[in-house]
Short mmCIF file of all heavy atoms in Angstrom, two decimals:
data_model
loop_
_atom_site.label_atom_id
_atom_site.label_comp_id
_atom_site.label_asym_id
_atom_site.label_seq_id
_atom_site.Cartn_x
_atom_site.Cartn_y
_atom_site.Cartn_z
N ILE A 30 89.43 98.74 108.80
CA ILE A 30 88.03 99.03 108.43
C ILE A 30 87.93 99.81 107.12
O ILE A 30 87.07 99.59 106.28
CB ILE A 30 87.29 99.76 109.56
CG1 ILE A 30 87.11 98.84 110.79
CG2 ILE A 30 85.99 100.23 109.13
CD1 ILE A 30 86.52 99.49 112.01
N LEU A 31 88.86 100.81 106.99
CA LEU A 31 88.91 101.57 105.77
C LEU A 31 89.24 100.61 104.59
O LEU A 31 88.65 100.75 103.44
CB LEU A 31 89.86 102.71 105.79
CG LEU A 31 89.38 103.93 106.54
CD1 LEU A 31 90.60 104.94 106.69
CD2 LEU A 31 88.27 104.53 105.82
N LEU A 32 90.12 99.74 104.82
CA LEU A 32 90.49 98.72 103.69
C LEU A 32 89.26 97.99 103.18
O LEU A 32 89.04 97.80 102.10
CB LEU A 32 91.68 97.86 104.11
CG LEU A 32 92.18 96.79 103.18
CD1 LEU A 32 92.74 97.41 101.93
CD2 LEU A 32 93.20 95.90 103.87
N VAL A 33 88.59 97.39 104.23
CA VAL A 33 87.46 96.55 104.00
C VAL A 33 86.33 97.47 103.21
O VAL A 33 85.72 96.95 102.26
CB VAL A 33 86.77 95.95 105.21
CG1 VAL A 33 85.48 95.28 104.98
CG2 VAL A 33 87.79 95.00 105.88
N SER A 34 86.25 98.73 103.68
CA SER A 34 85.22 99.59 103.02
C SER A 34 85.58 99.90 101.61
O SER A 34 84.71 100.01 100.73
CB SER A 34 85.07 100.84 103.86
OG SER A 34 84.68 100.54 105.19
N PHE A 35 86.84 100.13 101.37
CA PHE A 35 87.18 100.74 99.96
C PHE A 35 87.68 99.62 99.01
O PHE A 35 87.76 99.98 97.85
CB PHE A 35 88.26 101.84 100.19
CG PHE A 35 87.74 103.14 100.56
CD1 PHE A 35 87.59 103.47 101.85
CD2 PHE A 35 87.25 104.05 99.56
CE1 PHE A 35 87.04 104.72 102.22
CE2 PHE A 35 86.64 105.23 99.85
CZ PHE A 35 86.62 105.61 101.21
N VAL A 36 88.09 98.44 99.48
CA VAL A 36 88.47 97.43 98.51
C VAL A 36 87.29 97.11 97.52
O VAL A 36 87.47 97.10 96.30
CB VAL A 36 88.92 96.17 99.22
CG1 VAL A 36 88.81 94.93 98.29
CG2 VAL A 36 90.32 96.30 99.76
N GLY A 37 86.13 97.02 98.09
CA GLY A 37 84.92 96.72 97.17
C GLY A 37 84.63 97.96 96.21
O GLY A 37 84.35 97.71 95.09
N VAL A 38 84.74 99.17 96.77
CA VAL A 38 84.61 100.33 96.00
C VAL A 38 85.62 100.41 94.84
O VAL A 38 85.30 100.59 93.63
CB VAL A 38 84.63 101.66 96.87
CG1 VAL A 38 84.57 102.86 95.88
CG2 VAL A 38 83.55 101.65 97.81
N LEU A 39 86.89 100.17 95.18
CA LEU A 39 87.96 100.24 94.15
C LEU A 39 87.80 99.09 93.11
O LEU A 39 88.09 99.28 92.02
CB LEU A 39 89.33 100.14 94.86
CG LEU A 39 90.56 100.38 93.93
CD1 LEU A 39 90.52 101.77 93.24
CD2 LEU A 39 91.84 100.22 94.76
N TRP A 40 87.48 97.93 93.67
CA TRP A 40 87.25 96.72 92.67
C TRP A 40 86.11 97.08 91.68
O TRP A 40 86.23 96.86 90.50
CB TRP A 40 86.87 95.52 93.51
CG TRP A 40 86.75 94.25 92.69
CD1 TRP A 40 85.75 93.88 91.83
CD2 TRP A 40 87.75 93.24 92.57
NE1 TRP A 40 86.01 92.70 91.26
CE2 TRP A 40 87.30 92.28 91.67
CE3 TRP A 40 89.02 93.05 93.18
CZ2 TRP A 40 87.95 91.12 91.34
CZ3 TRP A 40 89.76 91.88 92.89
CH2 TRP A 40 89.19 90.96 91.98
N GLN A 41 85.02 97.62 92.23
CA GLN A 41 83.92 97.96 91.35
C GLN A 41 84.31 99.06 90.28
O GLN A 41 83.95 98.96 89.11
CB GLN A 41 82.74 98.42 92.11
CG GLN A 41 81.53 98.77 91.28
CD GLN A 41 80.31 99.08 92.13
OE1 GLN A 41 80.40 99.31 93.30
NE2 GLN A 41 79.07 99.29 91.51
N LEU A 42 85.06 100.10 90.85
CA LEU A 42 85.44 101.17 89.86
C LEU A 42 86.43 100.74 88.77
O LEU A 42 86.40 101.21 87.65
CB LEU A 42 86.16 102.26 90.70
CG LEU A 42 85.24 103.10 91.63
CD1 LEU A 42 86.11 104.10 92.48
CD2 LEU A 42 84.26 103.87 90.75
N SER A 43 87.26 99.78 89.11
CA SER A 43 88.26 99.25 88.19
C SER A 43 87.84 98.07 87.39
O SER A 43 88.64 97.57 86.57
CB SER A 43 89.58 98.97 88.80
OG SER A 43 89.42 97.96 89.80
N SER A 44 86.55 97.60 87.58
CA SER A 44 86.08 96.43 86.85
C SER A 44 85.93 96.75 85.40
O SER A 44 86.01 95.78 84.53
CB SER A 44 84.77 96.00 87.55
OG SER A 44 83.78 96.93 87.36
N GLY A 45 85.68 97.99 85.04
CA GLY A 45 85.43 98.29 83.62
C GLY A 45 86.78 98.77 82.91
O GLY A 45 86.65 99.26 81.79
N PHE A 46 87.83 98.72 83.62
CA PHE A 46 89.05 99.24 83.08
C PHE A 46 89.55 98.19 81.95
O PHE A 46 89.77 96.98 82.20
CB PHE A 46 90.23 99.31 84.08
CG PHE A 46 90.11 100.59 84.97
CD1 PHE A 46 88.89 101.28 85.02
CD2 PHE A 46 91.12 100.95 85.70
CE1 PHE A 46 88.77 102.38 85.78
CE2 PHE A 46 91.03 102.17 86.50
CZ PHE A 46 89.87 102.77 86.63
N VAL A 47 89.66 98.76 80.71
CA VAL A 47 90.16 97.95 79.55
C VAL A 47 91.38 98.54 79.01
O VAL A 47 91.38 99.79 78.72
CB VAL A 47 89.05 97.79 78.51
CG1 VAL A 47 89.47 96.98 77.28
CG2 VAL A 47 87.76 97.23 79.16
N PHE A 48 92.41 97.78 78.74
CA PHE A 48 93.64 98.31 78.29
C PHE A 48 93.70 97.85 76.74
O PHE A 48 93.39 96.68 76.41
CB PHE A 48 94.84 97.74 78.98
CG PHE A 48 94.91 98.16 80.42
CD1 PHE A 48 94.28 97.46 81.42
CD2 PHE A 48 95.58 99.35 80.70
CE1 PHE A 48 94.41 97.85 82.73
CE2 PHE A 48 95.67 99.75 82.08
CZ PHE A 48 95.08 99.09 83.01
N HIS A 49 94.09 98.81 75.90
CA HIS A 49 94.18 98.57 74.43
C HIS A 49 95.67 98.52 74.11
O HIS A 49 96.31 99.57 74.10
CB HIS A 49 93.42 99.61 73.65
CG HIS A 49 91.98 99.80 74.08
ND1 HIS A 49 91.02 98.92 73.70
CD2 HIS A 49 91.46 100.67 74.95
CE1 HIS A 49 89.81 99.27 74.26
NE2 HIS A 49 90.09 100.41 75.00
N VAL A 50 96.15 97.41 73.74
CA VAL A 50 97.60 97.21 73.44
C VAL A 50 97.67 96.49 72.04
O VAL A 50 97.30 95.35 71.93
CB VAL A 50 98.34 96.39 74.53
CG1 VAL A 50 99.80 96.32 74.07
CG2 VAL A 50 98.13 96.99 75.86
N GLY A 51 98.24 97.25 71.09
CA GLY A 51 98.50 96.63 69.73
C GLY A 51 97.30 96.06 69.08
O GLY A 51 97.33 94.97 68.46
N GLY A 52 96.17 96.75 69.30
CA GLY A 52 94.90 96.31 68.67
C GLY A 52 94.15 95.30 69.46
O GLY A 52 93.03 94.91 69.03
N TYR A 53 94.69 94.92 70.59
CA TYR A 53 94.05 94.00 71.43
C TYR A 53 93.45 94.73 72.67
O TYR A 53 94.05 95.72 73.12
CB TYR A 53 94.98 92.91 71.87
CG TYR A 53 95.42 92.03 70.83
CD1 TYR A 53 96.60 92.25 70.18
CD2 TYR A 53 94.66 90.88 70.43
CE1 TYR A 53 97.06 91.43 69.11
CE2 TYR A 53 95.09 90.12 69.45
CZ TYR A 53 96.33 90.28 68.71
OH TYR A 53 96.76 89.61 67.71
N SER A 54 92.37 94.19 73.18
CA SER A 54 91.79 94.77 74.46
C SER A 54 91.93 93.77 75.61
O SER A 54 91.61 92.53 75.43
CB SER A 54 90.31 95.08 74.20
OG SER A 54 90.11 96.05 73.19
N LEU A 55 92.49 94.31 76.75
CA LEU A 55 92.74 93.46 77.86
C LEU A 55 92.02 94.04 79.08
O LEU A 55 92.30 95.15 79.51
CB LEU A 55 94.35 93.40 78.03
CG LEU A 55 94.72 92.61 79.33
CD1 LEU A 55 94.32 91.12 79.14
CD2 LEU A 55 96.22 92.79 79.55
N ALA A 56 91.16 93.20 79.65
CA ALA A 56 90.39 93.59 80.82
C ALA A 56 91.00 92.77 82.04
O ALA A 56 91.01 91.56 81.95
CB ALA A 56 88.97 93.35 80.68
N ILE A 57 91.39 93.42 83.13
CA ILE A 57 91.92 92.81 84.32
C ILE A 57 90.89 93.14 85.44
O ILE A 57 90.71 94.28 85.90
CB ILE A 57 93.25 93.36 84.69
CG1 ILE A 57 94.23 93.15 83.53
CG2 ILE A 57 93.73 92.64 85.92
CD1 ILE A 57 95.59 93.68 83.79
#
């Protein structure tokens, strides 16, 4: 139940994570 509850929260929180590598931006 905790997994179901927090997977959505964690997905939403990390949806805006952008990595900048060698002048390129990578969103996962």
Side-chain angles (χ1 to χ4, degrees):
I30 293 178
L31 280 174
L32 177 63
V33 172
S34 302
F35 277 93
V36 160
V38 174
L39 187 59
W40 186 283
Q41 183 178 4
L42 288 173
S43 59
S44 61
F46 283 15
V47 180
F48 297 90
H49 305 281
V50 182
Y53 293 94
S54 298
L55 177 64
I57 303 177

